[in-house]
């Protein structure tokens, strides 16, 4: 049996910077069946309404989470954790930081779309207080999978220790 990966050290969540792009791209390719391009990530470096957070641990990039603030809504647009580093609380940690950043900006609600078959992500979002509010049929062009639309309506009063 393979050894369990060593615990990450010096875990910190920081804003996306140029030096993160290559590693973020690798995690994206390993995590998403229709991965974003390098150009898409580079655009996020200067997106005026974007919040793009990267988690570093043991001296390397291990995950990222991104959202756009549109009026009083946070739209979560991407999140992924290095497959070797999942189920260690990193996805939750980054999304909590993303929601708190948006809260500080006066955002009152958050929304996202997630593939209907992505049980891990749906469980994580529900754990944070998101609710499924609808389905967009055959939303994803690569495999025509449905998207579940989720909302967190009470972001203004939201706390990670609910
Ligand atoms: C979804 C994803 C970001 C979760 O990251 P993670 O760091 O592994 O998640 P966490 O360790 O923070 O998990 C927090 C909670 O989410 C839920 N969860 C996470 N992964 C799960 C899984 N595989 N099965 C069931 N529940 C899961 C659990 O409630 C978990 O709490 P627990 O570990 O105490 O049971 C990660 O699986 C990933 O990168 N997936 C590929 C990319 C993706 O699907 N992104 C979402 C696009 S909408």
């Amino acid at each position: 049996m393979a050894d369990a990966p060593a615990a990450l050290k010096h875990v910190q969540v920081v804003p996306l910077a140029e030096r993160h792009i290559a590693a973020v791209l690798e995690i994206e390719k390993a995590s998403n069946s229709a991965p974003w391009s390098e150009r898409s990530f580079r655009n996020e470096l200067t997106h005026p309404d974007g919040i793009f957070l990267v988690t570093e641990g043991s001296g390397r990039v291990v995950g990222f989470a991104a959202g756009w603030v549109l009026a009083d809504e946070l739209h979560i647009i991407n999140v992924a954790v290095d497959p070797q580093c999942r189920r260690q609380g990193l996805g939750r940690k980054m999304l909590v930081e993303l929601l708190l950043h948006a809260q500080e900006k006066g955002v009152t609600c958050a929304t996202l779309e997630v593939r209907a078959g992505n049980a891990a992500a749906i469980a994580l979002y529900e754990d944070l207080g998101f609710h499924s509010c609808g389905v967009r049929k055959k939303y994803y062009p690569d495999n025509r999978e449905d998207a579940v639309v989720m909302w967190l309506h009470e972001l203004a009063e939201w706390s990670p220790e609910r």
Side-chain angles (χ1 to χ4, degrees), residues 52-157:
F52 199 121
L53 304 175
V54 168
T55 298
E56 297 175 318
S58 300
R60 65 189 182 94
V61 175
V62 290
F64 63 86
W68 290 336
V69 174
L70 304 175
D72 61 348
E73 299 174 357
L74 173 71
H75 289 241
I76 296 178
I77 54 166
N78 204 345
V79 53
V81 171
D82 181 330
Q84 302 295 319
C85 302
R86 291 183 187 162
R87 293 313 284 269
Q88 298 184 48
L90 298 177
R92 185 175 206 282
K93 182 180 176 66
M94 289 189 292
L95 288 171
V96 165
E97 295 248 356
L98 198 60
L99 291 168
L100 292 176
H101 268 67
Q103 215 178 38
E104 278 173 22
K105 290 174 178 278
V107 171
T108 58
C109 55
T111 187
L112 57 91
E113 283 125 11
V114 55
R115 289 177 191 263
N118 192 344
I122 291 171
L124 171 56
Y125 298 133
E126 286 177 343
D127 186 51
L128 289 165
F130 282 81
H131 296 285
S132 301
C133 296
V135 172
R136 295 192 213 282
K137 300 297 279 181
K138 301 177 181 169
Y139 180 78
Y140 293 97
D142 61 328
N143 64 351
R144 297 173 60 77
E145 189 171 355
D146 293 348
V148 177
V149 181
M150 301 186 82
W151 279 91
L152 173 64
H153 287 295
E154 315 80 17
L155 183 56
E157 301 83 39

